[in-house]
Every structure is written in C-alpha cells, then in structure tokens.
Amino acid sequence: MKDFNELKQLWHVQQEHEGVSYDAILTTVKQTKNKYTTKLLSHVISIAVIVLITLYIFISFRFHTWTTLLSMFIVITCLVYYMLIQVKDYRSINNSERLLNKPEAYIAYLQAYKQHRYRLNTRNYTIYTICLSIALGLYLIEMSFYVSTFALALFIVATVVWFLICYFVLMKVYIKKESERLEEMINKLKKLEDQFRN
Amino acid sequence: MKRKEALFKDIFDKNNRKVYHLCYGYTGDSEAANDLMQETFIKVWQNLDRFRNQSQISTWIYRIAVNTCLSFLRVEKRKATDEINDRIIETKAEETSDKQEQVNQLYKCIAQLEENERIIITMVLDEIPYQEIAEISGISEGNLRVKIHRIKSKLTEIYNRHERF
C-alpha cells in the first residue's frame, strides 16, 4: 500500500526521457507545417491552378453563346468562393492565439470549428455541386451546335448519372460517415468542457 | 533570430521535462507524448513574440500544452492507450529498473482518470504551485483544491488496486 506522497517520490525518480530535442523542433519549424495545414494548402493551390486555367480558356477562346460565358462565370465564382473559404479556414487554424485561451474557451472554439467544417463539407458542398451542374447544363447549349444529337444525349445521360451517383450514393455515405465522426468528437468535447467547468 | 533561438533553447531546457510529463500523463503513450510535446514547442516558437509577461512563461507554456493535449481527439484513444501501455510494460519490464516499472504503472493508472484529472494530477506531481495550476486550467483555486484532494485519493486507490495484483 502506498500513499500519495510515496507516489510523488516515485514520480521524481523516473528516468529522463530521450525524446524530442530542441534542435529537432527548430528543424521541424523551419522545414514543415503540420499535416492538416499542408492538406488545406494543397487544396488551395490546386483550386488556384484550375481557376487560372478556366480564366485562360475564358480569355483565349471564342464562344458563340452567352450561356457558355455564364457557365464559365458560375464555375469561376464557385471555385473562387471555395478557395476563399479554404484560405479563411487555413488562416483560422494557423491563428494560434486561441491556444492561449482558457481550456474551456478553447474547447468551445474547437466545437464551433468542427461544426463549421462539417457544414462546409456537407451543405455548402451540395450548393457547390448544384451550381456546377447548372454551369455544365448551360455549356451543353453551346455543345449542341457542334456534336450530333446522339453524342449530346449520351453526354447528358452520362453527366446526369454521374451527378446522381455523387449526390445519392457518394455524398450520402460521406455525410453519414462525417456526421458519426463529428458527433463522437463533439460529445467528447462536451465531456471535456463539463470537466473544466467550475 | 539568434536571440530568439537562444531564448527558445532556454525555455525548452527549463520546461521540456514537465511538458513531456503532462503529455505522457494525458495520453499514457510515450510516442504520442513526444508528438504532443513537439507540437507544443512548435506553437511556443510561433507565439513567442506574442508573450507579453502577463503571466509566468511556464504558465503560458502549460496553457499551450494543455490546449494541445485537448485537441488530441483520438476516439479509440482509451482502448489503444491501455493496449499500448500493457505492451510497453510487458516488453520493457526486463530492461527497466524496478522503480521505472513502478513509474510506468503509475502512468497507466493516471491514464484511467478523466482528462482534466490527468492534466491536474501530473502538474501536482511535478509540484507546480496550486495558484499556477488554477490559472492554467481556468478553475478557481478553491474549487481546484477540492478537485486535487479527490484526484489524489482516486489515483492512490487505483494504484494500490493494481499493485495488489
């Protein structure tokens, strides 16, 4: 049987750990960013590239119908919107000031952030898909001048099937998985918040 | 830059041991503790210019360490932690001294406490003043004393239960 003071003495005889060194941390700081921000950054860069390519097409090619121009405008707006949201989140997660908050406030921030990301990945993504579908539909009007009716019909059917699969299968699976994960995470954060409440 | 690096080195040397204990106590896993400690000090480096002496630098670092630990949200953590600890204790039992084995057992017992209890008790074991613990955890000092009393009894009971077997 040990009392708490004996546990405390035991605590102080523990070996020095040979883990992370000061140099290793400085090297990490200089070389890399954490995984999450790197992932977000790569998203932002790939979207920026697509926006630039779309802008190039918009400027260099001559289109015959206004619907195609509208379609490209919708695509660019969607991409820019998506990119701005990603940049905003990237900056928010990199803003370490919140780390200096009291744990209770920090947990509340984490909860709000996770819920925001969930909304972005589900509801906003639906709106984004709908806008892209409209843009594609508008482009089909121009396409109808150049390709045969059969090819056009085939393209429309393939596109509609792809969007239906995305919406009713992939999206549903994704939302289900995300909401389960989020619920578990939020419950855990709520549990933590209760623990730190006075 | 050189001055900042020298300051950072000084801060690291003075605080890394206790931050590691906090992270190890929270995760119950030395590898995860190393990751969290590294993450904590990266954030300390990134925010060093923002430190304005409103509190002690150690309090400021612990606050970052606590919040970094709280962001560590592996759902399967508790189960995985126990498995890892069992494995660590089994494989290292022969290599480590008897005392170190008891320390490993103590970490395993801390891992069975609630998250905030783990954070508070590792700071108590490291003899951080109550006033500082209260400031770090955002809990009033009066309330903290009651909590500490309860956690001490709980940890001692868990440890003695394990020692009997």
Side-chain angles (χ1 to χ4, degrees):
Chain A
M1 286 285 279
K2 282 190 170 68
D3 62 16
F4 187 76
N5 284 334
E6 286 171 283
L7 293 184
K8 207 166 169 183
Q9 282 167 11
L10 185 62
W11 182 262
H12 290 288
V13 297
Q14 62 180 303
Q15 289 164 356
E16 284 286 326
H17 79 285
E18 292 160 9
V20 186
S21 71
Y22 140 81
D23 297 319
I25 290 174
L26 272 191
T27 312
T28 312
V29 167
K30 285 169 188 166
Q31 284 176 350
T32 57
K33 288 179 180 288
N34 68 45
K35 260 187 199 166
Y36 188 69
T37 48
T38 311
K39 196 178 150 197
L40 263 180
L41 197 66
S42 65
H43 274 227
V44 169
I45 291 170
S46 52
I47 291 169
V49 170
I50 299 170
V51 168
L52 286 176
I53 293 171
T54 318
L55 269 176
Y56 173 76
I57 297 171
F58 193 76
I59 294 162
S60 331
F61 290 81
R62 256 182 75 88
F63 295 105
H64 295 94
T65 61
W66 62 269
T67 52
T68 304
L69 297 178
L70 182 62
S71 136
M72 294 191 91
F73 179 74
I74 292 172
V75 170
I76 291 173
T77 311
C78 283
L79 290 173
V80 169
Y81 168 76
Y82 191 71
M83 191 170 75
L84 288 178
I85 295 276
Q86 295 286 13
V87 171
K88 197 174 143 229
D89 279 8
Y90 171 74
R91 288 173 65 140
S92 150
I93 201 79
N94 263 337
N95 179 2
S96 314
E97 252 172 65
R98 297 192 189 269
L99 266 171
L100 313 174
N101 287 348
K102 286 185 176 175
E104 201 183 330
Y106 183 68
I107 294 165
Y109 159 71
L110 278 183
Q111 282 193 52
Y113 182 77
K114 304 257 177 239
Q115 272 162 343
H116 163 75
R117 287 298 301 178
Y118 174 72
R119 273 199 306 276
L120 179 73
N121 287 329
T122 52
R123 193 192 63 193
N124 289 15
Y125 187 72
T126 312
I127 298 168
Y128 181 72
T129 314
I130 291 168
C131 286
L132 283 185
S133 312
I134 293 170
L136 199 70
L138 289 169
Y139 177 64
L140 285 175
I141 297 173
E142 171 121 8
M143 218 176 148
S144 66
F145 293 115
Y146 307 107
V147 295
S148 68
T149 317
F150 178 73
L152 187 71
L154 203 68
F155 184 78
I156 292 172
V157 170
T159 310
V160 169
V161 168
W162 170 240
F163 273 112
L164 289 177
I165 290 173
C166 281
Y167 192 79
F168 288 106
V169 183
L170 301 179
M171 183 85 174
K172 291 273 188 280
V173 172
Y174 178 76
I175 289 178
K176 190 171 175 279
K177 226 168 87 184
E178 274 291 293
S179 60
E180 279 171 3
R181 204 172 63 91
L182 184 89
E183 204 173 318
E184 212 151 5
M185 227 177 238
I186 298 291
N187 286 341
K188 198 161 163 42
L189 286 168
K190 275 189 184 145
K191 198 180 130 221
L192 282 176
E193 199 178 20
D194 289 342
Q195 287 178 23
F196 280 92
R197 202 165 282 153
N198 249 320
Chain B
M1 194 65 172
K2 285 279 168 227
R3 241 184 82 198
K4 190 181 174 184
E5 281 186 23
L7 175 65
F8 181 72
K9 187 179 184 316
D10 185 47
I11 289 170
F12 181 85
D13 290 342
K14 281 184 184 147
N15 296 282
N16 82 85
R17 195 164 176 266
K18 287 181 179 177
V19 168
Y20 175 77
H21 290 166
L22 184 87
C23 299
Y24 195 176
Y26 188 81
T27 59
D29 168 8
S30 63
E31 221 169 285
N34 266 328
D35 289 348
L36 284 178
M37 187 180 86
Q38 171 156 331
E39 213 178 301
T40 300
F41 279 103
I42 287 174
K43 287 162 183 170
V44 167
W45 169 269
Q46 287 166 343
N47 289 282
L48 207 49
D49 303 330
R50 291 202 188 117
F51 179 67
R52 298 271 179 267
N53 292 313
Q54 314 93 320
S55 57
Q56 284 187 62
I57 189 118
S58 60
T59 309
W60 184 75
I61 292 168
Y62 281 125
R63 174 68 64 73
I64 295 177
V66 167
N67 282 339
T68 305
C69 285
L70 294 175
S71 323
F72 180 74
L73 285 165
R74 271 205 327 237
V75 173
E76 73 287 6
K77 182 181 59 185
R78 180 63 69 85
K79 191 171 157 247
T81 296
D82 289 348
E83 283 168 5
I84 288 165
N85 273 323
D86 285 341
R87 218 168 44 237
I88 289 170
I89 288 169
E90 274 169 27
T91 53
K92 289 194 176 171
E94 283 175 11
E95 301 163 21
T96 50
S97 67
D98 200 37
K99 280 278 180 212
Q100 190 55 37
E101 208 179 317
Q102 287 177 34
V103 172
N104 289 343
Q105 182 64 41
L106 181 56
Y107 271 114
K108 197 182 172 193
C109 296
I110 292 172
Q112 289 177 34
L113 299 170
E114 293 286 329
E115 287 85 348
N116 76 329
E117 295 176 337
R118 289 179 225 164
I119 285 168
I120 291 168
I121 204 68
T122 44
M123 290 196 274
V124 171
L125 286 165
D126 266 330
E127 294 177 333
I128 293 165
Y130 283 13
Q131 195 192 350
E132 205 179 338
I133 301 177
E135 203 181 322
I136 294 159
S137 56
I139 298 169
S140 68
E141 215 178 313
N143 208 335
L144 182 77
R145 283 180 189 276
V146 178
K147 270 185 198 276
I148 289 175
H149 181 73
R150 214 174 40 225
I151 306 168
K152 277 181 176 175
S153 313
K154 201 170 162 184
L155 179 65
T156 313
E157 194 197 315
I158 296 172
Y159 186 86
N160 286 324
R161 208 169 49 222
H162 277 275
E163 211 179 31
R164 275 204 296 272
F165 295 109

